[in-house]
Amino acid sequence: MSIRAESRRKFLKTISLGAGAWVLSAKDTLAQTAIVTLPSEASYPRNAKDSADYTLHIRTSPVEIAPKRIISATTYNGHFPGPLLRFKEGQQVAVDIYNDTDTPEQLHWHGQRISTEVDGAAEEGTPSIPAHGKRRIVFTPNPAGFRFYHTHNRARADLFAGQYSGQVGPVYIEPKSEPGRIDREVFLVLKEFEPTFSQGGDMAQDFLSPSVPNKELEAAGESAMKASLAKGMPHGYEVGYASFTVNGRMLGHGEPIRVKPGERVIFHILNGSPTEIRSLALPGHSFQVVALDGNPIPNPMHVPVLWLGTAERISAIVEMNHPGVWILGDLDNDDRRHGMGIVIEYAGRPGKAQWIAPPPFKWNYSRFAKPGATAASPDVTFEMTFAKDNAAEEGFNRWTINGVAFPMTNEMVPASFHLQHGKRYRIRMRNASDDIHPIHLHRHSFELTSLAGKPTAGILKDVVMLGGYQEAEVDFVADNPGLTLLHCHQQLHMDFGFMTLFDYV
């Protein structure tokens, strides 16, 4: 379901949808192959000091998301999504990144525990990749699991920049063991294109649980909004989209995922959207969630629907036990009809793909937690309140953390929170707005320790959706020195103030 479904519908057009992508092997060998089934002979980098193991080119390219429907986007190696990069945990790699555009770029290795030198965030001091220049980076991939890479440029009002572009690619760091028998891997990157600005509309919140708002936060947020509107301010800008894709193809315009009865398929799903929350259901099937954001969960659980905030990843096993031709698609009818889905086709079952809506289902992270467990006590707790100044930046909402908006310049700024190596820190997050925020911490994983006042333990993530007027707590250990960025992964929110820095002292 989209964040601003009602406001976007006025400019959606009727189109259909599909899937396809590119896989990058070592030493610059680029082979076009469906991303839905990974080759068993996937190659790994060679230990060469004089040449890179992998090469990525940032360039503007035409992307055909449906027959004769071609868009222009900034991509990696000329395609969307970017190449699937397979690494081995603990095996050092060198990557050459060429920037063939006119704008300095940053490539962020989302979800990895690496240094600020290569993390890919200007706010942390990572050197940029200059326009028409090159940068070689060397790092040791970790931890194992499903990660990804993307631009970390701020877009502000430019709907061709930042993650509105096509700069998103999956990463898989080989774990020491897989969760049981798996017959096939399928990687799916969900992404919208052709963005436009809109105003107004309410964010869908009914899928999240717990969902009872904090009355104090609600009163503060609603009061601020009423005061702004009373002054004649419009609602701040939001973003809607005209086309929706899975692996760069609209539903019905790419190769289906072909399966056989009895197969166990693990889906690695990435929400590569700049702004939207996504859902997925497959009629007649359930998903056994085994990892969130690439990290194994303590309580694998079967669910009928998956929900992913911006930049979240889910790894889930599906038993192929319901033959037919089905649409694996978003619950939002407009988004699905305009591209957000892919066909699942059983062998020997040709025909028109069917969609059957699942029964209502609430998404609650805590169902995947360790039953009866309580998180360790923190050494230090940081209090953070997130708030919105409606339309305060030339019609865009300004976002603040504890009343302070991160500067919208590219200059380095001092950290607001200070860490000591080895200590356990708790972030108590309070959302004084009606928006859902996918909160992301760089270069560390965090443990979910409380959701809407209810304790939980055992779930490690790097992004968590914080509902409107909700509270949550996450813990992390300060074990990766250097400036560390925390921000909302919704591009508009990040661009207009929703960021803060930690440093090690």
Side-chain angles (χ1 to χ4, degrees):
M1 182 178 294
S2 62
I3 293 180
R4 299 282 178 176
E6 291 300 327
S7 15
R8 188 180 59 248
R9 286 191 177 102
K10 64 181 70 174
F11 49 80
L12 288 175
K13 300 177 182 178
T14 302
I15 22 185
S16 21
L17 334 170
W22 291 73
V23 174
L24 184 69
S25 60
K27 293 301 298 171
D28 309 344
T29 302
L30 185 65
Q32 187 176 15
T33 179
I35 202 168
V36 297
T37 303
L38 297 178
S40 58
E41 67 276 12
S43 55
Y44 296 99
R46 293 196 289 261
N47 294 321
K49 295 182 180 179
D50 58 345
S51 62
D53 301 305
Y54 299 92
T55 298
L56 293 171
H57 281 266
I58 302 169
R59 61 168 69 113
T60 301
S61 313
V63 177
E64 187 177 59
I65 60 176
K68 298 182 180 180
R69 188 179 180 91
I70 299 172
I71 62 170
S72 177
T74 306
T75 64
Y76 296 118
N77 291 7
H79 304 279
F80 181 86
L84 168 64
L85 302 182
R86 294 187 76 102
F87 300 141
K88 281 187 175 178
E89 185 178 23
Q91 182 171 311
Q92 189 180 81
V93 296
V95 182
D96 278 345
I97 308 170
Y98 291 84
N99 181 7
D100 302 333
T101 74
D102 297 327
T103 305
E105 268 292 349
Q106 288 282 359
L107 189 152
H108 172 46
W109 298 97
H110 185 117
Q112 295 201 49
R113 295 184 68 258
I114 52 182
S115 72
T116 57
E117 176 70 16
V118 298
D119 187 49
E123 296 80 9
E124 297 172 340
T126 308
S128 66
I129 308 153
H132 301 287
K134 166 194 170 184
R135 184 166 185 243
R136 173 173 294 179
I137 61 171
V138 179
F139 63 96
T140 301
N142 77 101
F146 186 26
R147 315 290 160 187
F148 76 115
Y149 59 101
H150 62 85
T151 180
H152 212 279
N153 276 11
R154 282 182 260 176
R156 299 183 179 87
D158 184 354
L159 293 179
F160 293 94
Q163 288 189 78
Y164 302 117
S165 72
Q167 294 179 76
V168 178
V171 168
Y172 193 71
I173 305 174
E174 297 286 355
K176 294 178 181 178
S177 62
E178 292 286 1
R181 178 180 67 85
I182 301 297
D183 296 308
R184 288 214 285 140
E185 290 178 301
V186 174
F187 284 76
L188 302 178
V189 180
L190 317 180
K191 179 76 164 62
E192 310 83 11
F193 289 101
E194 300 178 288
T196 56
F197 286 120
S198 63
Q199 288 178 302
D202 294 323
M203 177 179 292
Q205 304 261 354
D206 57 347
F207 69 93
L208 273 180
S209 178
S211 59
V212 178
N214 177 292
K215 296 300 183 184
E216 177 189 351
L217 295 172
E218 185 176 34
E222 294 296 313
S223 175
M225 177 58 77
K226 288 178 181 177
S228 173
L229 297 177
K231 294 178 182 178
M233 299 290 286
H235 285 277
Y237 290 116
E238 299 293 342
V239 176
Y241 303 88
S243 58
F244 301 76
T245 69
V246 177
N247 290 351
R249 300 287 284 181
M250 301 178 71
L251 176 60
H253 296 299
E255 288 296 312
I257 299 172
R258 295 183 173 90
V259 300
K260 297 177 182 178
E263 281 190 318
R264 283 170 55 87
V265 179
I266 186 165
F267 289 86
H268 298 293
I269 303 160
L270 160 64
N271 181 0
S273 174
T275 61
E276 299 287 274
I277 295 168
R278 296 261 62 100
S279 60
L280 277 183
L282 178 59
H285 300 76
S286 67
F287 303 91
Q288 184 188 20
V289 177
V290 295
L292 296 175
D293 293 349
N295 303 308
I297 55 176
N299 187 30
M301 181 74 66
H302 285 270
V303 297
V305 179
L306 303 176
W307 287 92
L308 303 95
T310 299
E312 285 191 298
R313 288 91 64 212
I314 293 177
S315 296
I317 297 170
V318 177
E319 297 270 1
M320 293 301 165
N321 55 13
H322 193 58
V325 183
W326 307 105
I327 293 173
L328 171 62
D330 199 288
L331 299 190
D332 186 279
N333 291 330
D334 276 340
D335 293 1
R336 191 180 63 259
R337 290 166 184 162
H338 292 83
M340 190 52 74
I342 187 170
V343 173
I344 306 290
E345 180 183 293
Y346 277 77
R349 292 295 187 106
K352 184 177 179 180
Q354 299 182 65
W355 168 259
I356 301 172
F361 176 75
K362 301 287 187 179
W363 183 255
N364 188 334
Y365 294 113
S366 62
R367 65 167 37 93
F368 309 112
K370 189 174 182 179
T374 303
S377 298
D379 296 304
V380 179
T381 297
F382 295 126
E383 304 280 349
M384 295 188 189
T385 299
F386 309 140
K388 174 169 63 178
D389 295 334
N390 178 60
E393 293 287 341
E394 298 182 346
F396 292 91
N397 298 322
R398 179 196 296 124
W399 295 94
T400 63
I401 300 176
N402 294 346
V404 178
F406 198 88
M408 281 168 271
T409 65
N410 290 324
E411 298 176 4
M412 294 294 293
V413 300
S416 299
F417 301 91
H418 309 292
L419 309 173
Q420 290 184 314
H421 192 276
K423 287 192 173 182
R424 182 182 177 94
Y425 291 88
R426 178 162 295 173
I427 307 174
R428 182 171 294 136
M429 303 181 293
R430 308 175 77 244
N431 183 5
S433 77
D434 61 351
D435 294 65
I436 298 175
H437 299 299
I439 305 298
H440 172 45
L441 179 66
H442 280 227
R443 305 190 319 106
H444 301 73
S445 293
F446 52 69
E447 181 181 10
L448 303 188
T449 54
S450 177
L451 296 168
K454 298 181 179 180
T456 188
I459 300 174
L460 295 178
K461 296 185 95 281
D462 55 59
V463 180
V464 62
M465 286 186 284
L466 179 62
Y469 305 130
Q470 290 286 332
E471 296 179 280
E473 296 178 356
V474 300
D475 289 14
F476 70 99
V477 176
D479 57 2
N480 193 15
L483 284 172
T484 299
L485 187 65
L486 180 137
H487 65 92
C488 179
H489 218 283
Q490 213 270 33
Q491 183 85 49
L492 273 178
H493 300 178
M494 179 184 88
D495 288 348
F496 290 92
F498 202 142
M499 296 194 287
T500 193
L501 280 168
F502 298 90
D503 66 4
Y504 281 70
V505 295

